[in-house]
Amino acid sequence: LPKLRGRRSLCATPLPSPPPPPAYAEMLLMSAEALRSGISAAAPWSAPGAFDKHSLSALASEIERLPMKALPMVKAFAPSNAADAWARDGAHIAWSCLGEDCGRVHAPGTTVLDAVTENAAPLAARLSDSRDGSAATAAIGEWVRTLADTTGRPVLDADAYLTPPRGVSASLGWHVDDVDVLLVMLRGEKRFRVAGSRLGSPTTIDLTMRTGDAIYIPALNFHTGGGDDLSDLARNNHSVLLSVAHRPLPAAAAAAA
């Protein structure tokens, strides 16, 4: 905060607003060409330090401050879910809400960070949706649009996954998605494992993601996030992960990328 001079009244001096999150271009450390090529690849990949960790902290803070009532969709995962289980074996949602109803799940003024702490299990919050062009904040909308322009891959939607401290870190366990996904760690740590597209295929990525790290997972590749082997940082602090979904490329286009 700026230093106060003389006898200026604290009450008469409004606190400055938090600085806006840095622009996307200031966050990207890997080359735009490498990201553009990688996000169209047919195989999963990881890129530790792909984004500037200090810049991402501001984006994480903006997400954490979002009021529940401002979000189009929120899903809270059940505390009984486990990272090593298969999603079909009972992983489930503790509760979910849409639009205005998200403001009624908790007390008025509850933020996303408040909600994940109370739930003691991961929470997914929809940040942007291409179907109606909505975005939780202008900065998030601009970040997503710039990512799409940089990669040439339109973004279907973007979600934030928040994991509480001293709670369950798994969301769905091993599962596949029908979209291509780019994961970017905004704050904290979370383990991610990625395998192939066939049941029982070996794990090809086993990475404890830290702020700035990225993982790309093409559609229908098995993956799971979370685990019990937490570091002290992960055990005592929450984490924020950005998950960006893209419509799958045709197989021929992905193979040629």
Side-chain angles (χ1 to χ4, degrees):
L1 295 177
K3 293 182 179 179
L4 299 178
R5 301 181 182 277
R7 298 177 60 85
R8 186 181 301 171
S9 167
L10 286 173
C11 295
T13 305
L15 294 175
S17 300
Y24 167 88
E26 298 175 39
M27 297 182 185
L28 185 63
L29 294 183
M30 68 186 296
S31 72
E33 291 75 15
L35 180 60
R36 186 180 303 111
S37 174
I39 208 168
S40 298
W45 52 263
S46 61
F51 292 83
D52 177 59
K53 62 182 179 180
H54 300 295
S55 300
L56 290 180
S57 178
L59 185 60
S61 296
E62 176 158 293
I63 292 170
E64 293 161 358
R65 291 191 300 265
L66 288 171
M68 290 284 289
K69 64 181 181 181
L71 296 163
M73 181 176 69
V74 178
K75 294 187 295 184
F77 297 96
S80 59
N81 292 350
D84 288 316
W86 293 94
R88 61 180 175 80
D89 288 340
H92 59 281
I93 305 298
W95 53 264
S96 62
C97 60
L98 298 172
E100 290 294 325
D101 287 339
C102 292
R104 303 186 182 99
V105 175
H106 292 273
T110 298
T111 65
V112 176
L113 184 56
D114 295 332
V116 73
T117 302
E118 292 177 18
N119 191 56
L123 181 150
R126 178 61 46 86
L127 301 178
S128 72
D129 195 324
S130 65
R131 287 172 293 186
D132 58 9
S134 63
T137 71
I140 291 170
E142 179 63 22
W143 200 96
V144 170
R145 284 191 296 273
T146 307
L147 173 66
D149 292 341
T150 301
T151 61
R153 296 286 307 275
V155 173
L156 292 176
D157 53 61
D159 296 327
Y161 283 78
L162 290 87
T163 300
R166 298 176 296 279
V168 175
S169 61
S171 50
L172 288 177
W174 284 99
H175 67 285
V176 297
D177 294 319
D178 60 358
V179 293
D180 295 342
V181 176
L182 177 68
L183 303 176
V184 181
M185 201 69 190
L186 304 185
R187 192 192 301 284
E189 294 182 0
K190 190 167 186 176
R191 183 186 182 192
F192 257 88
R193 287 168 287 171
V194 185
S197 58
R198 294 186 178 183
L199 193 63
S201 57
T203 298
T204 57
I205 296 174
D206 187 345
L207 176 68
T208 297
M209 296 184 72
R210 297 179 173 86
T211 307
D213 294 350
I215 291 179
Y216 173 71
I217 309 172
L220 305 182
N221 278 257
F222 286 96
H223 58 281
T224 184
D228 297 328
D229 50 343
L230 304 177
S231 68
D232 289 340
L233 175 63
R235 188 176 295 109
N236 297 315
N237 296 274
H238 70 278
S239 66
V240 184
L241 177 77
L242 181 64
S243 176
V244 182
H246 304 268
R247 194 181 308 280
L249 287 173

